[in-house]
Amino acid sequence: MMSYIPKVNDYVQWKNHEGWVYFFDELYITIELGTSSKKDIKNGGTHHQKNHILLVCPNYQWKELKYIKKRKTVYD
């Protein structure tokens, strides 16, 4: 039986957390738990308008992930 391999835009549950897979690498993924607005988007010279709250899940723990659903794009 093949193990689940997470992909960006999958919604997953891991332990007591749920969120969107925000980043994928062979070694780990990040799960987006939430976002918050930046007070001053000019501060820091970044074009990002939100702070992202991310949880790192290493590849040896992917077997603990529960796939829930997938979104078509990040804008869904």
Side-chain angles (χ1 to χ4, degrees):
M1 185 170 136
M2 181 176 245
S3 298
Y4 168 66
I5 298 175
K7 297 171 189 65
V8 172
N9 293 328
D10 285 355
Y11 193 82
V12 297
Q13 180 180 26
W14 183 43
K15 300 188 181 203
N16 295 328
H17 304 286
E18 288 186 10
W20 296 104
V21 176
Y22 186 79
F23 174 81
F24 171 85
D25 184 82
E26 292 179 5
L27 299 177
Y28 69 94
I29 62 167
T30 59
I31 302 169
E32 182 183 58
L33 301 179
T35 61
S36 65
S37 296
K38 290 188 175 182
K39 303 285 189 239
D40 180 9
I41 61 173
K42 292 180 183 178
N43 189 11
T46 181
H47 65 280
H48 297 283
Q49 296 180 6
K50 295 189 180 268
N51 293 311
H52 297 268
I53 303 161
L54 302 172
L55 177 66
V56 176
C57 177
N59 62 0
Y60 60 86
Q61 291 184 294
W62 291 355
K63 62 183 176 263
E64 300 171 11
L65 291 170
K66 178 182 175 186
Y67 171 84
I68 297 180
K69 63 183 177 179
K70 178 159 185 80
R71 61 182 171 192
K72 293 180 184 178
T73 70
V74 294
Y75 305 107
D76 289 343

